[in-house]
Structures are given as C-alpha cells and as structure tokens.
Amino acid sequence: MTELLDPPPAATAVPPPAAGPSPAAHERSERLEVERLQLEETWRRPPGLYGWLTTTNHKDIGLRFIVTAFTFFLLAGVLALLMRLQLARPRNPVFGPDLYNQIFTTHGSAMIFLFAVPVMEGFGLYFVPLMIGARNVAFPRLMAFSYWTYLIAGVLLFTGLFLNTGPDMGWFSYTPLAGPGYSPGKRVDLWSQMVTLVETTSMAGAIDIIATAFKLRAPGMALHRVPLFVWAQVISSLMVLFAMPAVTLRSTMLSMDRTTNVTTHFFNAAEGGDHLLWQHLFWFFGHPDVYIIFIPATGFVSPVVTAFARRRVFGYTPMVLAMIAVAFIGFGVWVHHMFATPIPELGQGMFTASSLLITIPNGVQIFCWTATLWGGRPWLRTPLLFMLGFLAVFVLGGLSGVILASVQVDLQVHDTYFVVAHLHYVLVGGAVFPLLGAVCFWFPKWTGRMLSERLGWVAFWLLFAGFNLTFFPMHQLGLHGMPRRVYTYAPQTGWGGLNALATVGAGLMGVGVLVFLANVLRSLGSGAAAGPNPWGAGTLEWATSSPPPRYNFQRPPTVQGREPVWENAADAPVVTGLDARTRETLCTTTMDAEPHHKYTMAGDALAPLLTALAVGGIWIGGMFHPAAVPIGCGLMVIPLAVWFWTSGHRKETAGEPDQGGE
C-alpha cells in the first residue's frame, strides 16, 4: 500500500447544466459506486437463520447485548414489583419465605450480573468502532462468543426460577449460608455457574473493547482526541480484567466446596477454611463493579451534555484523569462493605479514608458537566433531561455513601433498608437514568427514526417521581430499624405506611418503563425520519448514515479534533487503499494513531456459538459431576480449531501515509 489517506476532491466551479459532469468526476463516481457494492457484498450477512447465528458484525452483537440485557431488566423489574407487593403491608400472605428468597435473589443477580454490566458492554461494542472510525471490533468472533455465553447464563438463571430451583441465598451468596450444610440441592450451584459464565462474557468483551480502542483508531485520533465515551469504555474494561477474575475464582471455589466428588473446604471453617475469604473475594469484585457500571454511564453523559450544550466539554483532561482516579481508588474501597465483620480498626480507618477520597474525582466530573452546560446554550430534549435526572439522583446517592463510610454509623444501619436505599440511588441513579438517556440519544442512529419527545418526557417524570417515592422512604425505614432481606414484618413496627408508599412508587416506575417501551415500539414503525445527525453532535458515529452500513464507513475518516464532525476541515483526508473484497481495516499506532498496517478481520462463523455451547456444557454439567469439565474441554477443541483455522487474518505493513490521490 503506497497511499492511505486521500483528500476529497477540491471544490470546482459548477459547469453549465448542459455540459454534464466532467469525465474525471464521472469516473470517480463510478469507482466509488463499484467500491460500495463490493463492500456491501463483503460485509453482507448470510441470509436466514444461519446468518443470524453466525454474524460477527459489532452492530448486530452490540444490539443483541442491549436488547437481551433490557429483557432481563424487565424480568427483574417484574420480580421487584412482586417483592414490593409482598412488603406493601404487614403479614402479607402473597408469598412464603422460600419463594420470596428466590425472587429476591434472582432480582438482584439479574440486575447486577445480567443487566448492568452487559448492557454497558453492548453499548461499547456497538459505538466504540463507530466513534473511532473503525469497521468492526478487533476480534469479531470473540465478541460473538461472549454474547452466546451471556445468553446461556441468563437462560440458566431464569430457568432455575421457573422450575422452583432458583437461588435463594441472596445475590451476594454469603457462606456458610451458601455452603452445602445450609443450602443442599442445586440452587446455589446454578447461581455460581451463572456467575462464572457471565464473567467469562465480561472479560471477553473487555479484551475486545481495549484492543479495538487502542489499535483501530482513525488516523489523527491521538490519545488526547479520543472521545470521552471511548475512554470510559476502556477504563471500565481494564477494571473488568482486574475485578472479574476474583468473582470467577470464588464462584469456582464455591462450586468445588459443594461438589460431592471434589469436596474442598475453601469456605468451611470447621475444616480450616475461612468465611471472610468469601466476603473479601466477593467485595473485591463487588465495589469496583459499581464503578464498572458507573464509569460507562459517565461516558453516556459526556457526549449528550456536549451535543445539547452546543460546546466542547469543559475540562477534557480532568474528566479523563477523574475516571482513571475513580477506577484506581475503586479497588481500595471493598472493605467499606465489611465494617460489621471482625477486621482490625486500623483497616477500618484506612478504608473509611478511601471511601471518602473517591468522592473527589466524582465531584470533578459533576463540576465539568455543570460548567459545560453553564457555558453553553442548552437545548432541553429528552436525552438531556435523563442526564439531569442522573445528576440529581446520583448526588443524593453519593451523599448517603459518605454517611455509610463512617464505621460507627455503618454498624447501626448496615443490615437495614438504609443500605437498600443507598444501593439503588447509586446504581439506578448512576446507571439506569443515563442509560435511558443514551437510548433516547442514539435511537436515531440505530433505527433512522426519532423517539416521541412527548412520550419521552412522560416516561422521565413517571420514572423520576416513582423512583424517589420508592427509595427515599427506605432511608427512613432503615433509620427506624427495618432489616433488609426479610419477607414480612409485624404490624406493631409502624413500617406499613412507608412500605405502602414505596410500593405505590414502584408501580409508578413500572408505568414509566411501560411508557418508555411503548415509545420505542411505536417509533420503530412510525417515528419521524432522523437523518444522519439529528442532534448536530460532533463524534464520528454521526458522520455516517443512520442506521450505519455494515462496514460503517466506505472511506474511513481521519480526525483533526476531539469533535471531528464539528472540527474536521472540508478537505480532510480519508483512508484509501483498503481492499473492498476482504474485511480489511487499518491498524494505527497506540499513542498517536498513525497508520501502521492493514489487518484482515475474521469473517462470520458458527464456531463462536459452538464454543459457547461447549463452555456452557462444562459449567452446567459440572453442577452434577466433575467429569463434565474434561469432557467439555475435549469437545471444545473442535469448534476452536474451526474458529482459528478459518479466521482469515492477514497483516500487511503500510507505507508512509500519502496525502495525494488514489
């Protein structure tokens, strides 16, 4: 390849109508059309069910992650409504303790493991390649494998609930309650294998996002020009690589403790094990997981605020450093959840300090968003409305987190509904509100149609009012002594009124979700046409059509600023020299995004699905007998061999970029 960058043709005087286009322009137009047809054929998905099962396009898989995660969100939301129905009044006989425990555990597990992290990963897989000017993710088949593994895990969890074998020991699965002595049967095993499968998914997706963001950026997109959304995805993916092995390790150790033919004693204190080891491993994952969810949500807020404030984000560098600081400090806060356990007072003090310290970088981000809006010309539409709701709710959740960072206060309210309120203010406020705003913002990019503004505002106010009506009273319930993880309570406690109020709020939230869903379904068929960039935003995903073609960009762009759509010159060069007959993309250097080599990506294949089925068989079969592990590993060799043998990877070193013609 001798030429990589090709400027668009210079503007020329328009000839008289009778003269027609010049021969050179006509030839160029024909050449571009031939190239477009070749790209469509090269990136075309095979028709029918086979094509649906074998696709490795990042937009297909990203949307599947998002839709599947929202499906699990709706199922978990129904379970939440059932819980609130049971707790609406004292001695309510709707559910017994066993079924309530299954509902309670499945709700928490689905929201944390099947919704919050995978939906953020889905957004990353869809938008990171578009925002950096790439045609696909770096490892397309790994991405497809991660989705199928995730789907198997979700089906496993809800199948267990529907068969009355749902986990019943809480989404945290503390030992010894989750050990074989207190939880016989397969309920806990089902939960632990679900967790292992989901975390396998998360790590595979994280590797793909990191490699894509560092090696497939458009020429000119040096690190100081990377969109904040992409920074958020990269930082959270790096956190996944450090945090998820801990939860995968502990779920595997728990399975080994519970398997009859293995019978280890990692968490059996009578045999030299340690119950606190479980809590350390769990919360070393659990508290960073809050920020694995929250940091991508901040990546949603920044482009929305920028687009609707009509100005570049204030404090780009402090924003990036703040996200890095949150990620780093987040790994030093896990004992924040263990103040009620017998740990040394010196350790308690150190983790109190780190719990307070993490508020500083979070405050920096909130200040930068506020300054961006203050210095801009805000255009109040539904996406921005959800982001403003996020700021209000998350600040309240952060303040209650500061309260819980005090050891003495935490000891008094640790097992009460005060913690339930704090958790939901942080996770729903810090994730769900910006997530719904992101759906409103990027829905035109996915579908080419606009959501209804009127229904969007109705949905927001129902959700905002319902959320605060549900969870704000729980602070008071906790201070009045109502313990969490209970399925009923006595009338003389005086908790009935606030619980009834919380149940009404949950109903309002349910109506708000239904209105939001109705808006999405209605707009899919009859929404107004959006055009390529209805919001006038500045990042590269808005530089292509809505919805984007399967290859994203016919001529991948170059970058001349942090908001390329706003800042690129009219004659900015584009990437040429890529073979339209193969799935070829341009790799660039990590720091400065200079062209380095051409890279041929793997095509569509059935091997990722077959590999995921083998992995699922290993862990599900391992619930019953350890022999399933070596058998499954042996079976997995076959699809893996097909996976790598037919990958079609090819690397060609690039010459120096040329600013001339083709």
Side-chain angles (χ1 to χ4, degrees):
M1 179 173 62
T2 60
E3 291 146 357
L4 283 173
L5 306 182
D6 179 37
T12 57
V14 179
S22 68
H26 181 72
E27 181 183 355
R28 182 182 180 87
S29 177
E30 286 187 340
R31 193 163 62 245
L32 288 173
E33 180 63 15
V34 169
E35 182 183 59
R36 185 187 66 81
L37 294 174
Q38 287 178 335
L39 284 169
E40 287 184 355
E41 178 62 25
T42 299
W43 292 86
R44 180 180 62 88
R45 189 174 80 185
L49 178 63
Y50 180 78
W52 192 86
L53 294 174
T54 59
T55 181
T56 56
N57 188 280
H58 75 99
K59 295 182 291 298
D60 293 338
I61 304 300
L63 275 178
R64 287 182 194 178
F65 264 107
I66 294 168
V67 172
T68 306
F70 268 106
T71 301
F72 291 136
F73 170 77
L74 293 175
L75 292 173
V78 171
L79 298 180
L81 290 173
L82 294 176
M83 291 163 59
R84 287 314 317 164
L85 180 64
Q86 168 65 19
L87 294 171
R89 63 187 183 91
R91 304 293 188 200
N92 210 349
V94 178
F95 301 116
D98 180 69
L99 181 56
Y100 182 86
N101 284 342
Q102 291 187 63
I103 291 173
F104 159 72
T105 303
T106 305
H107 163 76
S109 300
M111 285 296 193
I112 295 294
F113 295 106
L114 299 180
F115 168 65
V117 176
V119 76
M120 300 301 180
E121 186 173 293
F123 271 87
L125 292 171
Y126 191 102
F127 284 111
V128 166
L130 282 167
M131 284 191 177
I132 64 174
R135 284 180 169 168
N136 204 352
V137 293
F139 309 118
R141 293 185 181 180
L142 182 64
M143 172 186 59
F145 164 79
S146 70
Y147 172 74
W148 294 118
T149 309
Y150 162 60
L151 183 62
I152 292 169
V155 171
L156 176 64
L157 178 66
F158 280 95
T159 299
L161 177 64
F162 295 145
L163 296 178
N164 196 34
T165 315
D168 58 353
M169 65 297 163
W171 70 274
F172 35 78
S173 192
Y174 282 163
T175 58
L177 181 62
Y182 292 90
S183 295
K186 297 300 178 186
R187 289 181 173 183
V188 177
D189 300 290
L190 181 146
W191 179 90
S192 64
Q193 307 301 42
M194 179 275 297
V195 169
T196 302
L197 288 169
V198 169
E199 305 319 334
T200 301
T201 288
S202 299
M203 288 186 281
I207 291 168
D208 222 347
I209 289 172
I210 292 168
T212 302
F214 280 134
K215 294 303 298 177
L216 300 185
R217 301 198 308 277
M221 188 178 281
L223 291 181
H224 66 279
R225 291 176 175 172
V226 171
L228 288 172
F229 175 95
V230 178
W231 271 118
Q233 289 288 333
V234 168
I235 292 167
S236 65
S237 296
L238 288 170
M239 292 186 72
V240 165
L241 296 186
F242 283 96
M244 296 306 181
V247 70
T248 306
L249 174 65
R250 67 165 178 78
S251 63
T252 304
M253 292 163 68
L254 178 63
S255 297
M256 294 171 68
D257 276 8
R258 294 178 54 83
T259 303
T260 305
N261 302 79
V262 179
T263 58
T264 55
H265 299 285
F266 293 110
F267 308 114
N268 184 356
E271 298 292 339
D274 188 356
H275 298 311
L276 278 184
L277 174 62
W278 172 270
Q279 291 199 38
H280 280 294
L281 288 173
F282 181 83
W283 289 117
F284 185 79
F285 143 82
H287 200 90
D289 190 54
V290 173
Y291 297 105
I292 290 170
I293 297 166
F294 170 70
I295 290 177
T298 66
F300 300 156
V301 178
S302 296
V304 172
V305 167
T306 300
F308 290 98
R310 292 292 185 263
R311 59 156 290 169
R312 290 172 58 179
V313 69
F314 176 84
Y316 173 91
T317 301
M319 289 281 282
V320 174
L321 295 177
M323 287 190 285
I324 294 172
V326 167
F328 183 79
I329 300 171
F331 279 97
V333 190
W334 81 91
V335 178
H336 173 107
H337 299 269
M338 299 173 59
F339 284 160
T341 62
I343 59 176
E345 291 186 2
L346 178 61
Q348 292 178 352
M350 294 175 64
F351 282 95
T352 293
S354 62
S355 300
L356 297 174
L357 182 65
I358 204 167
T359 62
I360 297 175
N362 285 325
V364 168
Q365 294 181 81
I366 292 171
F367 173 81
C368 289
W369 292 320
T370 305
T372 302
L373 290 169
W374 185 270
R377 301 184 301 277
W379 181 32
L380 189 57
R381 290 295 184 269
T382 304
L384 183 60
L385 190 64
F386 273 101
M387 300 310 170
L388 296 176
F390 147 76
L391 290 174
V393 173
F394 184 76
V395 167
L396 285 174
L399 291 174
S400 62
V402 172
I403 294 171
L404 290 172
S406 169
V407 176
Q408 299 308 318
V409 174
D410 186 86
L411 287 173
Q412 301 303 315
V413 300
H414 183 78
D415 268 331
T416 72
Y417 260 75
F418 190 93
V419 173
V420 176
H422 163 70
L423 177 69
H424 286 83
Y425 264 85
V426 170
L427 290 181
V428 177
V432 176
F433 276 96
L435 182 63
L436 296 179
V439 171
C440 295
F441 184 64
W442 280 302
F443 185 83
K445 181 53 58 179
W446 293 329
T447 66
R449 296 186 178 274
M450 302 292 292
L451 289 171
S452 165
E453 277 292 311
R454 179 177 299 177
L455 289 177
W457 279 62
V458 171
F460 169 78
W461 286 114
L462 285 171
L463 286 164
F464 188 79
F467 172 81
N468 286 286
L469 196 60
T470 301
F471 294 105
F472 197 82
M474 292 183 187
H475 294 98
Q476 193 70 12
L477 284 169
L479 294 175
H480 285 178
M482 181 176 178
R484 49 183 173 151
R485 310 165 191 159
V486 294
Y487 84 103
T488 192
Y489 51 93
Q492 57 268 29
T493 58
W495 302 330
L498 289 176
N499 271 297
L501 189 64
T503 301
V504 171
L508 276 180
M509 287 186 70
V511 174
V513 171
L514 290 177
V515 172
F516 191 93
L517 183 61
N519 191 7
V520 169
L521 296 177
R522 169 192 170 278
S523 300
L524 281 173
S526 59
N533 189 2
W535 310 120
T539 42
L540 279 179
E541 79 272 24
W542 302 105
T544 186
S545 61
S546 299
R550 296 190 64 80
Y551 46 85
N552 292 345
F553 304 94
Q554 181 171 344
R555 293 287 177 88
T558 61
V559 169
Q560 297 176 339
R562 289 176 184 159
E563 303 290 337
V565 175
W566 294 351
E567 300 178 52
N568 272 15
D571 60 348
V574 293
V575 176
T576 64
L578 299 177
D579 189 353
R581 296 164 297 179
T582 60
R583 296 190 177 186
E584 197 167 73
T585 192
L586 178 65
C587 282
T588 54
T589 57
T590 302
M591 298 292 290
D592 299 319
E594 296 177 350
H596 188 263
H597 65 267
K598 294 189 292 184
Y599 173 71
T600 303
M601 294 177 168
D604 298 340
L606 197 60
L609 171 59
L610 299 178
T611 306
L613 291 173
V615 171
I618 289 172
W619 295 114
I620 296 173
M623 293 166 52
F624 303 97
H625 199 282
V629 176
I631 293 173
C633 289
L635 293 175
M636 193 165 60
V637 171
I638 300 172
L640 281 177
V642 176
W643 179 332
F644 294 111
W645 186 263
T646 62
S647 64
H649 287 181
R650 179 170 61 85
K651 181 172 124 176
E652 180 180 331
T653 302
E656 289 298 318
D658 189 289
Q659 297 288 334
E662 294 177 280

